[in-house]
Amino acid sequence: MRERIEELLHEIEELKAQKMQDIEEYRIKLLGKKGSVTKLFEDFREILPEQKREFGQKLNALKQAAAAKLDELREKLEENPSQEEAKFDYTKPGDRFDLGTRHPISITREEIISIFSKFGYAVAEGPEIEDDWHVFGALNFPPEHPARDMQDTFFVSQAGGDNPILLRTHTSSVQVRAMEKMPLPIRIICPGRVFRNEAISARAHCIFHQVEGLYIDKNVSFADLKQAILLFAKEMFGEDSKIRLRPSYFPFTEPSAEVDVSCNICKGKGCNICKGTGWLEIMGCGMVDPNVLEASGIDPKEYSGFAFGMGVERIAMLKWQVKDLRHYFENDVRFLREFETVV
Ligand code: DAH
């Protein structure tokens, strides 16, 4: 042990430090939990009682020498920082990180969800790869309906005979899945991606996003539908927004309507966004057709409901006056940065 103490004393004497980190490393090596000085203190427990006095003193002196040397090195460095540390200017401003921004479609989808969650709607999702039954059959589309045509629908596989696998063309398919398995009453919105075989242009794309809404309970009326949509329009486009409903046709709703909101740019006076009409079309809606309820095992004599469906791209275009749908898919940062400040 004597030699080891001498050796360490010598080692300590020779220590040199370039930077603070060196000193910390020495401290750990000597005095840390597994340090060489600490180790000697452990060995000390084993030595003969008559030697304890001598070695006790020597070990304490060694420990003090180590601590004193580290203090000395630290002081020296503080007075005269090493070249490397001196070069670093701590007052320099840091590098700027480019923060990512949320995509306008995500922003709009989140806003639609948050408005309807305030009205008590839960979010439901379904598969993008669906079968004919959930996209068309259960929604009362007759077998020869043109929407089922190859021209509109991307088919994945003809396996399944008259129930082929395809990419869903609308989120109304999630209605069917919800009606099949959720307990009544049902109050949901279904955001999701949909696919149609369309030529890409400023007004059409083969991939886009929709939000479907569905409310089924006893005694749900058309007035409830109108009120829900009016409240949504006011939250989305401003308190003074008005809506109007135009009769329309969808196989899965009866009666059906298309909804226009008063143009929030010209406040209904007429401008080039609303093509001089003062109104902008925002969604389709209607009372769920009794055939649709029945197809999913719900008794239309006891329950009624309404449904609506809107395009997220369309809502975002109206909100921010985006003129070309393709901007949403091209990931041009000059376009995406426009939404940096939208929270
Ligand atoms: N699924 C329709 C579409 O893709 C939108 C729609 C219209 C949904 C009326 C509905 C509805 O729920 O009632 O064009």
Side-chain angles (χ1 to χ4, degrees):
M1 177 171 270
R2 193 170 291 123
E3 292 94 78
R4 183 77 185 120
I5 294 175
E6 292 298 323
E7 215 178 280
L8 280 173
L9 270 175
H10 184 69
E11 230 175 73
I12 290 167
E13 228 170 280
E14 302 283 298
L15 289 181
K16 287 193 179 57
Q18 297 289 326
K19 45 188 176 344
M20 286 296 177
Q21 205 186 332
D22 296 343
I23 302 175
E24 180 57 12
E25 271 164 25
Y26 296 147
R27 191 191 64 75
I28 294 169
K29 246 173 93 183
L30 293 165
L31 305 174
K33 251 197 194 154
K34 292 186 184 144
S36 27
V37 176
T38 317
K39 170 97 185 15
L40 284 181
F41 271 92
E42 275 162 25
D43 298 345
F44 176 71
R45 284 195 232 124
E46 315 278 306
I47 64 174
L48 298 168
E50 56 269 32
Q51 292 185 321
K52 285 235 164 168
R53 202 179 139 87
E54 183 199 343
F55 283 111
Q57 280 172 353
K58 282 205 154 80
L59 273 180
N60 279 330
L62 173 70
K63 193 174 174 181
Q64 271 164 19
K69 182 71 184 184
L70 294 179
D71 282 346
E72 181 196 315
L73 290 174
R74 199 169 293 129
E75 263 167 47
K76 259 203 218 150
L77 259 189
E78 272 162 8
E79 272 166 34
N80 180 23
S82 68
Q83 289 294 34
E84 194 189 354
E85 294 216 334
K87 262 194 296 184
F88 193 83
D89 178 1
Y90 287 97
T91 63
K92 250 166 116 184
D95 289 339
R96 229 194 78 163
F97 287 105
D98 268 344
L99 284 180
T101 63
R102 282 194 304 153
H103 194 280
I105 295 304
S106 303
I107 297 173
T108 313
R109 189 191 51 212
E110 294 307 312
E111 195 173 345
I112 298 170
I113 292 175
S114 101
I115 293 171
F116 280 104
S117 3
K118 276 195 273 182
F119 304 161
Y121 286 71
V123 174
E125 281 178 344
E128 292 178 347
I129 302 172
E130 259 295 7
D131 55 25
D132 184 281
W133 171 252
H134 289 91
V135 176
F136 300 122
L139 288 166
N140 203 30
F141 280 79
E144 71 286 3
H145 195 282
R148 285 187 143 133
D149 205 306
M150 289 292 270
Q151 246 100 77
D152 289 296
T153 308
F154 288 114
F155 286 89
V156 175
S157 137
Q158 290 295 339
D162 51 7
N163 192 25
I165 308 297
L166 40 86
L167 298 184
R168 66 179 178 197
T169 56
H170 56 182
T171 43
S172 304
S173 55
V174 189
Q175 276 191 28
V176 180
R177 295 212 167 257
M179 286 190 282
E180 282 170 353
K181 60 171 198 283
M182 283 175 85
L184 293 160
I186 297 172
R187 190 166 12 201
I188 50 164
I189 45 166
C190 324
R193 215 158 41 146
V194 301
F195 309 85
R196 284 185 202 175
N197 194 0
E198 305 226 27
I200 295 169
S201 73
R203 300 180 57 100
H205 211 287
C206 53
I207 303 175
F208 55 102
H209 300 80
Q210 287 188 333
V211 176
E212 181 81 12
L214 177 71
Y215 176 36
I216 295 181
D217 203 345
K218 292 181 175 155
N219 301 318
V220 178
S221 73
F222 202 88
D224 298 325
L225 167 61
K226 245 179 115 172
Q227 188 61 13
I229 294 173
L230 177 64
L231 289 174
F232 165 73
K234 282 175 178 285
E235 294 263 344
M236 193 77 197
F237 297 104
E239 190 42 42
D240 47 1
S241 301
K242 295 182 188 55
I243 57 162
R244 74 175 184 189
L245 273 69
R246 284 178 287 108
S248 184
Y249 173 77
F250 299 101
F252 37 93
T253 42
E254 183 57 38
S256 306
E258 251 151 312
V259 183
D260 295 343
V261 63
S262 52
C263 179
N264 60 336
I265 313 299
C266 62
K267 304 282 169 230
K269 285 192 205 78
C271 65
N272 65 342
I273 302 286
C274 60
K275 300 200 192 74
T277 62
W279 295 98
L280 301 161
E281 190 189 315
I282 54 165
M283 65 171 94
C285 68
M287 301 305 292
V288 181
D289 193 293
N291 288 347
V292 173
L293 294 173
E294 234 160 58
S296 299
I298 297 174
D299 182 358
K301 290 195 198 73
E302 209 183 332
Y303 285 93
S304 58
F306 62 70
F308 54 85
M310 64 188 111
V312 181
E313 279 79 1
R314 168 119 189 114
I315 302 280
M317 277 172 117
L318 298 177
K319 209 169 154 80
W320 289 300
Q321 294 155 56
V322 177
K323 300 240 167 62
D324 193 322
L325 196 61
R326 287 168 292 195
H327 286 310
Y328 291 129
F329 299 93
E330 280 166 0
N331 282 337
D332 184 331
V333 288
R334 290 167 302 180
F335 172 71
L336 297 176
R337 284 219 177 101
E338 301 261 324
F339 301 89
E340 228 161 16
T341 52
V342 181
V343 280

